[in-house]
Amino acid sequence: MIIKEFDQVCLKDGRRGHICEILVQGGAYLMDVDLPGPDWDTIHIEHEQIAEIEGVPIDYKNTKEKGLKTPFGAINMYKNGQSIEFEAMCIYKFTNSSNGLYKLYPDMKNLKIGDVIICEFDNGFLQYDGGGERMINIVGTYNGYIIGMGTTDSQEIDDHDSREERVLSYENYGKTERGFEIHIIDNPEKHLYDYDFQKICFIVAWENEITENAWNIVSYVTS
């Protein structure tokens, strides 16, 4: 669903207001939130915080996939070299599939120390693109699309966390040609309940390369 300037929206936490600026379509916006009386507050929001647009609920579909289909191929996840099912949360997608934004999650309860998880596109070559806070991402061009993937930067989290015990059960071993490799180094059951970043998550996005600022859009939403 396309969001336009001045659209009335309701956030998942119940706050209401209107979009005053589109920073990245399908990614981020500025929103004027209604306050008591005539006042408002301008805040930065992410697309996935929105529950309704003009009274129409957004359907963030969660599906179980064994290979997420895209207009240019598929995105697969492997455990120890074997293809596995994963949860795919659709954050944003045009009906003609010219772009898309998903979060992909392996089932942490089925993982154990020593397991290796790889998530990657089945084609293309992606390069490091800077990442963001606690995130690392890769972006590339393939078959008429800008494609990208981001995941947790485990090294940054470890370097800046002051607790004696590890906060993550996994370590990011860096990129493959088309994705990322994650190693399980501690019991996942110990690290599932405090912070969302303790779950393994891969953010994947694609955008038609003829779209203005397509590379920047994909880079932003995956970092």
Side-chain angles (χ1 to χ4, degrees), residues 4 188 203:
K4 302 182 294 296
I203 302 174

Side-chain angles (χ1 to χ4, degrees), residues 126-132 136-140 149 175 215-216 218-220 222-223:
L126 291 84
Q127 63 191 53
Y128 283 116
D129 196 57
I136 188 169
N137 74 324
I138 52 179
V139 181
M149 180 182 296
K175 79 177 189 73
W215 186 288
N216 291 338
V218 171
S219 176
Y220 178 86
T222 56
S223 61

Side-chain angles (χ1 to χ4, degrees), residues 108 134 161 163 165-169 187-199:
M108 298 290 288
R134 294 180 172 177
D161 194 275
R163 283 167 285 195
E165 293 188 357
R166 295 190 58 86
V167 295
L168 299 177
S169 63
N187 181 5
E189 291 288 343
K190 294 167 52 179
H191 304 276
L192 295 180
Y193 308 108
D194 295 329
Y195 304 99
D196 188 60
F197 66 77
Q198 291 178 307
K199 300 178 181 178

